[in-house]
């Protein structure tokens, strides 16, 4: 159904430049780039890393590397970067995710009410080609646990596909802004919302709901790219039949008993056990596997759901064709700490112990950095990347963490003090890492926070929060609350880290020019040397950065960097008084970072930089 | 979990004026327990200090802070996400929540006016 006035062209007289110009440039430059040639030499089956001239996927490519092949900006000249354009989105909510660039058009999706802007990069001032304004349901705001965020769109087959917070996935014609289809995939009344960025694998659009704090029963749905029709739905918990677990195809490295999705939960607690899908998806076309992480089990009071709680806090590997589950691995069995596993799963080939392995690299909330075999789910590397005290390590023979009993929570444990990291994670799942095939390093935003935890009985009321815990944070050891780290995933070792005053909640970008980009909560956007971490450049963007930077080649042939600013997500909620728009809501500065609201306030903007 | 939630229907217009539990011993503590167990803190934060829902501890109110207005907000809900709890909680429990909310004290002054 097309809605009248949802979408309208800003300038009908301005002809849309077709794919031609960019496509030619891509053929001339992109396909001849050294990275592409390396990809060819590595042969079929390799997940090709990197975004080229455009940025068409949330993670830059199907593998989620957030690596740009563009190399014009280097450590030598990055100090000359300057702001060339900005735009206020008119929306105050937290600006997570990233823009897309396709056919010389910059696409921006805002937090609720999920406006889609399409900017014409061929004209001075980047005027709008169109603006699409969906009839977003305001009731969704009260069903979103942690701000009305959106993690971005995906481009495929001439369509911009993204999610509305109110539970609908939309496809919009990338050239005209015409709504092509709109499908309800999440049930607001049950506490489900949509915040994640969809992934397109073949002709399947893959989406899943948020709502781990609302007692949902998490799932992944596949829609037909052409029509929006729901092709299949697979649950993340519950009976095997509903999860796509079949004896002939389900071959995990650490096999559970049958019906683990029900039998690892006390009584019927799986029915409202959470395991949402609010993070990032990636896809390996050679293995034909889609990967996604599942969120926390609910409620937070773990004694209401005794057992491993499979498959919450897990990574799932499914066939996009029929949704069947090929393997699953649970990072945090019986999660007592809200350690969602919804962080990105970056698909790269790593040399580990002398063998090149098809790996999946994941920086979990629980503080461990994992490299798994992405064909089987076997744990290859699992090492802490931030201070961790809830577990002493991961047993690679069983795949299970070695839990410190004193850090278990639940009502009978009373107040449990000093658990590291916090439920915000050693890295925030909404702040994705990047990987460079040149340096072989991952670039990772980090948090240095710990928490106390007191559980209470939670009562389930459909469509309302289902939590049952009070969880104050405090700073971890040292004067810094966060950082930006270079990580060797094959060795499981940090190479260097840039300390930051506040937790770093932005995503990462690394380029073929060996420059890495990230932003800070106090509103700086920064470039550093990807080899050494040396600061190269910074620019104050007005509000805290929780979005993820991208890079693209503009119509003039130059390399550009784009990023959102606009503090939000958990960080507008815990930061204290950073929203001045409601005179009936005044908050004290947060105790663990009392200065944060001194440097930032809400406000969503898009920024573009170039040399 | 075996916590029964009794179903009651509350019609706010017929609710008595003023809080019948005002000054009653135990009402505040009972309201505080309900604030957690009914997951009010899931939106309004621990101690009502604000999360995705507005602060209830700053002495400022979108829809009024007297006892009857608070009862109405809880029983019938409010725009932008406040659910109606009138069918989930008996009147007495709603008044206990009102007792708890009304004794929350705004921090001294406006806390963000000055930094140390």
């Amino acid at each position: 159904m097309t809605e009248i006035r949802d979408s309208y062209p800003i300038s009908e007289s301005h002809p849309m430049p077709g794919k031609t110009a960019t496509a030619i440039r891509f053929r001339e430059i992109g396909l001849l780039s050294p990275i592409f040639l390396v990809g060819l030499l590595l042969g079929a089956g390799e997940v090709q890393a990197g975004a080229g001239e455009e940025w068409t996927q949330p993670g830059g490519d199907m593998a989620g590397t957030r690596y740009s092949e563009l190399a014009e900006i280097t450590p030598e000249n990055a100090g000359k970067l300057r702001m060339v354009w900005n735009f206020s989105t008119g929306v105050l909510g937290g600006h997570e995710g990233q823009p897309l660039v396709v056919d010389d058009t910059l696409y921006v999706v805002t937090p609720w009410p999920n406006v889609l802007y399409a900017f014409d990069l061929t004209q001075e001032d980047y005027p709008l080609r169109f603006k699409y304004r969906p009839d977003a349901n305001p009731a969704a705001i009260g069903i979103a646990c942690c701000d009305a965020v959106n993690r971005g769109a995906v481009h495929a087959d001439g369509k911009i596909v993204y999610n509305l917070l109110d539970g609908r996935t939309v496809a919009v014609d990338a050239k005209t802004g015409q709504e092509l289809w709109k499908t309800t995939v999440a049930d607001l009344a049950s506490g489900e919302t949509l915040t994640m960025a969809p992934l397109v694998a073949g002709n399947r659009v893959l989406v899943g709901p948020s709502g781990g704090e609302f007692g949902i029963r998490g799932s992944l749905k596949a829609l037909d790219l052409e029509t929006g029709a729901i092709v299949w739905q697979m649950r993340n918990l519950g009976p095997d039949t509903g999860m796509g677990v079949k004896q002939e195809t389900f071959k995990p490295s650490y096999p559970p008993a049958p019906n683990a999705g029900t039998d690892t939960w006390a009584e019927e607690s799986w029915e409202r056990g959470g395991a949402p899908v609010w993070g990032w998806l990636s896809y390996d076309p050679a293995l034909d596997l889609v990967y996604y992480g599942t969120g926390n089990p609910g409620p937070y009071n773990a004694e209401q759901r005794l057992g491993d709680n499979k498959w919450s806090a897990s990574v799932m590997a499914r066939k996009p064709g029929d949704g069947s589950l090929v393997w699953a691995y649970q990072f945090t069995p019986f999660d007592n700490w809200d350690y969602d596993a919804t962080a990105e799963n970056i698909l790269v080939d790593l040399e580990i112990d002398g063998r090149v392995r098809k790996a999946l690299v994941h920086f979990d909330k629980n503080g461990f950095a994992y490299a798994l075999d992405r064909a089987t789910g076997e744990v290859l590397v699992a090492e802490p990347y931030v201070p961790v005290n809830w577990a002493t390590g991961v047993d690679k023979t069983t795949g299970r963490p070695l839990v410190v009993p004193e850090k278990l929570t639940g009502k009978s444990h009373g107040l449990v003090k000093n658990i590291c990291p916090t439920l915000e994670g050693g890295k925030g799942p909404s702040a994705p890492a990047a990987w460079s095939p040149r340096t072989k390093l991952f670039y990772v935003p980090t948090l240095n926070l710990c928490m106390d935890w007191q559980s209470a009985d939670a009562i389930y009321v459909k469509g309302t929060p289902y939590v049952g815990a009070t969880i104050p944070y405090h700073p971890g050891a040292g004067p810094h609350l966060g950082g930006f780290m270079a990580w060797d995933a094959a060795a499981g070792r940090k190479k260097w880290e840039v300390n930051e005053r506040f937790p770093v909640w932005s995503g990462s970008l690394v380029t073929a020019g060996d420059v890495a980009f990230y932003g800070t909560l106090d509103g700086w956007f920064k470039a550093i040397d990807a080899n050494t971490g040396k600061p190269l450049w910074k620019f104050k963007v007005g509000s805290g950065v929780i979005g993820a930077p991208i890079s693209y080649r503009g119509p003039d042939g130059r390399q550009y960097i784009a990023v959102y600013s606009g503090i939000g997500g958990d960080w507008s909620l815990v930061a204290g008084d950073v929203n001045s728009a409601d005179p009936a809501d005044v908050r004290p500065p947060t105790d663990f970072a009392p200065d944060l609201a001194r440097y930032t306030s809400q406000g969503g903007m898009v920024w573009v930089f170039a040399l | 979990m075996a916590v029964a939630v009794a179903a009651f229907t509350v019609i706010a217009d017929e609710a008595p004026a003023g809080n019948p539990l005002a000054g009653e011993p135990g009402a505040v503590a009972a309201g505080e327990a309900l604030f957690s167990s009914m997951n009010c803190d899931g939106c309004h934060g621990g101690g009502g200090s604000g999360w995705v829902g507005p602060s209830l501890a700053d002495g400022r109110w979108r829809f009024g802070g007297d006892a009857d207005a608070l009862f109405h907000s809880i029983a019938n809900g409010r725009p932008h996400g406040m659910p109606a709890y009138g069918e989930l909680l008996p009147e007495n429990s709603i008044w206990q929540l009102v007792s708890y909310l009304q004794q929350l004290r705004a921090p001294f002054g406006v806390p963000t006016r000055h930094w140390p």
Side-chain angles (χ1 to χ4, degrees):
Chain A
M1 290 288 287
T2 299
E3 289 167 309
I4 298 169
R5 302 294 301 166
D6 265 5
S7 173
Y8 50 93
I10 297 299
S11 171
E12 299 214 27
S13 62
H14 177 72
M16 285 287 299
K19 176 81 179 168
T20 317
T22 305
I24 289 171
R25 230 179 22 244
F26 188 76
R27 278 196 294 276
E28 289 175 348
I29 302 169
L31 295 189
L32 295 178
S33 71
I35 300 303
F36 186 81
L37 291 176
V38 168
L40 286 179
L41 292 171
L42 288 171
E46 189 78 4
V47 174
Q48 187 186 337
E53 309 286 296
E54 303 183 320
W55 196 280
T56 65
Q57 314 269 331
D61 55 28
M62 291 283 194
T65 62
R66 296 181 185 267
Y67 171 73
S68 167
E69 294 178 7
L70 304 181
E72 181 183 319
I73 300 167
T74 67
E76 288 70 39
N77 63 24
K80 295 177 182 167
L81 280 165
R82 62 188 180 85
M83 189 269 289
V84 296
W85 180 82
N86 62 26
F87 185 89
S88 170
T89 66
V91 179
L92 282 182
H95 282 55
E96 294 186 351
Q98 59 290 307
L100 300 178
V101 173
V102 186
D103 278 347
D104 294 329
T105 305
L106 175 73
Y107 296 95
V108 168
V109 176
T110 74
W112 186 94
N114 304 130
V115 177
L116 171 65
Y117 291 104
F119 298 99
D120 182 354
L121 296 178
T122 67
Q123 298 194 62
E124 189 177 15
D125 298 336
Y126 302 169
L128 280 176
R129 292 195 200 280
F130 66 79
K131 174 162 56 173
Y132 167 75
R133 296 193 62 189
D135 57 340
N137 184 348
I141 299 170
I143 315 289
C145 76
C146 314
D147 196 9
V149 296
N150 183 285
R151 302 196 172 88
V154 62
H155 176 270
D157 192 29
K159 302 173 181 68
I160 299 291
V161 183
Y162 71 103
N163 288 320
L164 309 183
L165 188 70
D166 65 17
R168 294 175 293 174
T169 305
V170 293
V172 175
D173 185 299
K175 290 194 187 315
T176 66
Q178 182 82 9
E179 183 183 295
L180 300 172
W181 50 258
K182 185 190 280 176
T183 302
T184 298
V185 298
D187 178 25
L188 265 191
S190 300
E192 293 183 339
T193 51
L194 290 177
T195 60
M196 53 86 78
L199 178 110
V200 174
N203 62 353
R204 298 279 194 265
V205 178
L206 299 157
V207 294
S210 305
E213 283 68 35
F214 283 75
I216 70 160
R217 190 176 154 210
S219 61
L220 189 75
K221 286 188 171 76
L223 315 183
D224 180 83
L225 176 61
E226 191 57 34
T227 65
I230 296 173
V231 182
W232 52 256
Q233 168 181 262
M234 292 296 167
R235 298 286 189 175
N236 300 329
L237 64 177
D240 279 355
T241 48
M243 287 204 299
V245 172
K246 292 176 274 189
Q247 201 173 2
E248 60 275 22
T249 50
F250 184 52
K251 307 288 182 191
S253 281
Y254 311 98
N259 285 310
T262 55
D263 296 353
T264 62
W265 298 78
E267 299 170 356
E268 308 302 314
S269 55
W270 58 270
E271 291 181 350
R272 47 184 178 274
V277 183
W278 54 266
W280 314 93
L281 280 65
S282 45
Y283 176 57
D284 182 336
L287 293 172
D288 192 30
L289 287 177
V290 166
Y291 305 93
Y292 67 99
T294 64
N296 62 282
Y300 286 11
N301 178 15
E303 288 166 356
Q304 292 178 236
R305 49 173 172 79
L306 293 170
D308 269 2
N309 304 151
K310 285 181 167 39
W311 294 96
S312 66
S314 302
V315 54
M316 317 288 271
R318 292 189 184 277
K319 291 286 184 188
D322 65 1
S324 55
L325 190 64
V326 173
W327 60 263
Y329 169 72
Q330 190 171 42
F331 298 103
T332 312
F334 189 41
D335 170 23
N336 276 226
W337 310 275
D338 188 34
Y339 288 151
D340 300 72
T342 46
E344 66 285 0
N345 299 294
I346 303 174
L347 313 181
V348 298
D349 292 353
L350 297 176
E351 186 174 327
I352 297 172
D353 297 332
R355 280 179 63 197
V356 175
R357 305 295 297 259
K358 287 182 175 298
L360 173 157
V361 174
H362 173 95
F363 297 87
D364 200 86
K365 258 188 173 184
N366 71 14
F368 288 93
Y370 297 82
L372 308 182
D373 182 321
R374 68 174 178 267
T376 65
E378 177 193 355
V379 177
L380 306 174
V381 180
E383 295 293 336
Y385 64 95
V386 290
V388 170
N389 69 8
W390 68 275
T392 56
V394 176
D395 180 344
K396 286 195 274 187
T397 59
T398 63
R400 297 182 72 90
L402 304 165
V403 174
V404 175
E406 294 75 27
K407 299 300 181 186
L408 286 169
T409 69
K411 187 182 175 190
S412 72
H413 292 268
L415 178 63
V416 182
K417 303 206 68 149
N418 195 37
I419 302 163
C420 310
T422 67
L423 62 78
E424 302 292 349
K427 181 185 83 66
S430 60
W435 181 74
S436 167
R438 292 170 53 85
T439 64
K440 307 289 185 193
L441 294 172
F442 287 81
Y443 298 89
V444 187
T446 62
L447 296 79
N448 180 28
L449 294 171
C450 301
M451 63 184 172
D452 302 337
W453 188 294
Q454 175 129 31
S455 292
D457 285 327
I459 294 172
Y460 177 73
V461 179
K462 185 180 176 184
T464 72
Y466 182 51
V467 179
T470 302
I471 309 148
Y473 305 160
H474 56 268
H480 304 286
L481 295 181
F484 189 75
M485 174 181 77
W487 178 263
D488 179 343
R493 198 168 52 222
K494 187 197 306 190
K495 188 165 182 191
W496 46 258
E497 183 161 17
V498 177
N499 290 323
E500 290 288 351
R501 175 163 46 177
F502 297 113
V504 180
W505 197 255
S506 90
S508 314
L509 166 71
V510 63
T511 69
D514 290 343
V515 179
F517 293 87
Y518 69 100
T520 64
L521 283 184
D522 51 345
W524 288 101
F525 184 52
K526 298 188 174 183
I528 63 171
D529 187 315
N531 282 296
T532 65
K534 178 188 167 193
L536 302 172
W537 169 84
K538 65 178 181 178
F539 185 91
K540 188 79 170 171
V541 289
S543 178
V545 180
I546 59 166
I550 68 162
S551 187
Y552 62 93
R553 193 179 299 285
D556 57 2
R558 300 160 65 201
Q559 181 183 2
Y560 289 84
I561 307 291
V563 70
Y564 300 151
S565 63
I567 195 169
D570 282 4
W571 297 98
S572 65
L573 307 176
V574 303
D577 200 17
V578 296
N579 178 356
S580 303
D582 184 352
D585 187 6
V586 181
R587 307 180 186 192
T590 189
D591 51 359
F592 68 88
D595 265 359
L596 181 51
R598 197 173 194 174
Y599 296 99
T600 190
S601 217
Q602 284 190 306
M605 291 190 74
V606 193
W607 299 84
V608 175
F609 302 91
L611 292 172
Chain B
M1 186 180 63
V3 181
V5 179
F8 294 82
T9 302
V10 173
I11 301 168
D13 291 345
E14 296 176 1
N19 185 349
L21 304 184
E24 183 172 303
V28 170
E32 183 174 15
L34 282 166
F35 194 77
S36 176
S37 65
M38 293 305 293
N39 304 301
C40 309
D41 52 3
C43 284
H44 292 287
S49 59
W51 185 247
V52 291
S55 171
L56 306 175
D58 57 2
R60 302 180 180 203
W61 302 96
R62 288 181 190 174
F63 303 106
D66 64 42
D68 287 348
L70 290 175
F71 185 98
H72 181 88
S73 294
I74 298 167
N76 297 332
R78 294 290 188 183
H80 292 277
M82 175 66 195
Y85 283 87
E87 295 188 2
L88 299 163
L89 287 171
E91 273 191 32
N92 192 60
S93 294
I94 296 178
W95 286 121
Q96 288 169 338
L97 281 164
V98 171
S99 298
Y100 169 66
L101 294 176
Q102 287 198 305
Q103 60 79 50
L104 292 174
R105 286 287 163 263
F108 178 73
V110 179
T112 51
R113 186 175 294 160
H114 300 292
W115 265 267

